């Protein structure tokens, strides 16, 4: 892998269906999409017997008709996990996880470029995060999830993915050790995803070095969820700083030959998870509420080959 990273975007399934301008922008500006929510456990599994694939199917159909690759996000995570999973006896959760991975990955077999198999399994200290999966199986659930995903789609590139791992730090060190162990155990892991949710004016200082050390283990890497939030209201200065920060992330990614993709976590401030999640912040994306280009837009589209 030595081509420039492909540029992608997370898509909001409702906006994709209802906003033609948004849909056209996604189709024309990017070569990869991630479902912002539609392929997560909770929306896919209203109950143990039901698989609700309609929204995910529509996203796949859109991606295929527009010629976009899909990053599948995400199979095993502690968030947006249906309540019935934590209510189920711990002894049943291995079977629930296996069922889920088998059904979802095989449904889209051969059509998903990357799967985020396990999302955010470590906390900010690099310790295993407590979750219904960890409680039931201990840390072994990670290896098990990758084996199951590989069995269901041997052609998909399988990723571990997390936030606050842009730099060389305690958390990314813990991932580095985890990945080494998984590889030593013969687990089919192929990629490390660095999410890239950032605050303006605080760019990572060792992103390139960090990506390179994972690549040196034989993995590919990707920036999987890039957004850069700004304290509200934005100013010309903060918007310019945001453009610099986007450019810095893209340049670091482009400098690492094993970096497969840079995916933005949203295209425009019109559809953004930021204001509802981080009080006082917003304006995190490259287009504004009216889908007009912000300074960050030129920074992104000027620096990555599509
Ligand atoms: C976020 C979505 O953007 C929101 O719409 C949703 O309400 C919560 O999840 N890390 C991840 C993503 O891996 O799945 C999260 O997406 C953002 C943080």
């Amino acid at each position: 892998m030595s081509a420039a990273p492909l540029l992608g975007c997370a898509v909001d399934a409702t906006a994709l269906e209802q906003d033609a301008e948004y849909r056209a922008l996604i189709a024309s500006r990017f070569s990869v999409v991630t479902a912002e929510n539609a392929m997560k456990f909770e929306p896919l599994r209203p109950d143990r017997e039901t698989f609700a694939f309609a929204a995910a199917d529509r996203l796949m159909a859109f991606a295929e008709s527009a010629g976009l690759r899909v990053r599948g996000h995400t199979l095993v995570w502690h968030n947006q996990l249906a309540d019935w999973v934590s209510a189920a006896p711990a002894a049943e959760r291995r079977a629930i996880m296996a069922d889920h991975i088998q059904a979802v990955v095989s449904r889209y077999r051969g059509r998903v470029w990357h799967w985020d198999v396990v999302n955010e399994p470590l906390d900010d200290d690099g310790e295993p995060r407590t979750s219904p999966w960890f409680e039931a199986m201990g840390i072994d659930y990670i290896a098990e999830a990758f084996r199951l995903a590989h069995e269901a789609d041997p052609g998909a590139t399988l990723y571990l993915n997390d936030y606050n791992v842009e730099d060389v730090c305690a958390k990314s060190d813990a991932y580095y050790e985890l990945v080494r162990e998984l590889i030593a155990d013969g687990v089919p892991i192929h990629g490390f995803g660095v999410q890239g949710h950032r605050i303006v004016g605080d760019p990572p200082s060792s992103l390139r070095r960090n990506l390179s050390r994972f690549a040196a283990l034989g993995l590919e890497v990707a920036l999987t969820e890039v957004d850069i939030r700004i304290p509200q209201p934005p100013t010309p200065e903060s918007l310019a700083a945001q453009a610099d920060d986007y450019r810095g992330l893209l340049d670091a990614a482009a400098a690492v030959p094993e970096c497969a993709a840079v995916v933005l976590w949203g295209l425009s401030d019109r559809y953004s998870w930021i204001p509802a999640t981080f009080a006082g912040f917003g304006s995190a994306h490259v287009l504004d509420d009216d889908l007009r280009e912000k300074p960050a837009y030129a920074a992104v589209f000027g620096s990555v080959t599509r």
Side-chain angles (χ1 to χ4, degrees):
M1 163 97 36
S2 65
L6 297 180
L7 191 57
C9 193
V11 294
D12 177 301
T14 310
L16 194 65
E17 276 150 44
Q18 297 177 358
D19 185 335
E21 195 184 353
Y22 171 88
R23 185 167 58 244
L25 284 166
I26 297 285
S28 62
R29 296 294 186 273
F30 297 98
S31 36
V32 182
V33 284
T34 306
E36 186 173 354
N37 290 296
M39 292 187 180
K40 291 174 179 174
F41 198 108
E42 190 174 37
L44 286 182
R45 304 297 302 282
D47 58 54
R48 192 163 173 174
E49 287 70 42
T50 312
F51 287 82
F53 282 122
D57 284 354
R58 283 198 296 274
L59 188 120
M60 282 295 310
F62 162 77
E64 286 171 347
S65 71
L68 308 175
R69 301 179 195 222
V70 173
R71 294 197 81 260
H73 176 80
T74 178
L75 299 167
V76 180
W77 190 27
H78 63 285
N79 273 336
Q80 291 176 282
L81 181 60
D83 289 341
W84 60 263
V85 176
S86 26
E92 290 178 25
R93 289 192 208 138
R94 181 184 297 271
I96 292 170
M97 184 181 86
D99 233 31
H100 185 74
I101 293 175
Q102 213 283 326
V104 176
V105 176
S106 59
R107 182 177 187 88
Y108 301 119
R109 183 183 168 118
R111 300 162 68 196
V112 168
W113 184 40
H114 295 170
W115 268 112
D116 287 334
V117 177
V118 182
N119 198 30
E120 305 176 355
L122 304 184
D123 66 20
D124 278 348
D125 298 324
E127 296 299 322
R129 188 191 288 281
T130 303
S131 72
W133 309 120
F134 181 74
E135 282 162 17
M137 291 171 265
I139 199 72
D140 291 350
Y141 81 91
I142 298 176
E144 176 90 0
F146 277 87
R147 290 198 175 98
L148 289 159
H150 187 59
E151 218 172 275
D153 187 351
T157 305
L158 304 183
Y159 271 71
L160 194 57
N161 191 54
D162 209 332
Y163 62 87
N164 288 352
V165 290
E166 289 75 32
D167 274 314
V168 174
C169 62
K171 189 173 185 179
S172 62
D173 286 351
Y175 273 107
Y176 185 76
E177 290 310 319
L178 174 61
V179 167
R180 274 162 50 123
E181 282 167 30
L182 292 170
I183 293 171
D185 292 345
V187 175
I189 175 169
H190 315 120
F192 183 60
V194 169
Q195 292 182 4
H197 299 291
R198 304 290 306 183
I199 298 177
V200 70
D202 181 27
S205 56
S206 51
L207 176 58
R208 179 179 174 179
R209 181 157 61 93
N210 191 38
L211 295 176
S212 297
R213 69 172 171 161
F214 283 93
L217 294 177
L219 297 193
E220 54 170 69
V221 292
L223 301 187
T224 54
E225 306 186 14
V226 175
D227 51 35
I228 302 176
R229 58 190 186 268
I230 293 181
Q232 297 300 282
T235 63
E237 292 72 28
S238 63
L239 290 167
Q242 180 187 51
D244 289 344
D245 290 354
Y246 267 101
R247 190 176 297 108
L249 293 180
L250 287 158
D251 286 350
V256 178
E258 296 83 0
C259 186
V262 175
V263 178
L264 310 183
W265 203 248
L267 170 65
S268 89
D269 301 332
R270 181 183 291 181
Y271 307 107
S272 176
W273 73 299
I274 295 290
T277 312
F278 301 98
F281 286 91
S283 313
H285 312 284
V286 299
L287 299 182
D288 71 10
D289 285 321
D290 297 318
L291 303 181
R292 280 190 307 243
E293 295 174 15
K294 293 155 65 179
Y297 182 91
V300 168
F301 288 94
S303 53
V304 169
T305 304
R306 285 174 282 140

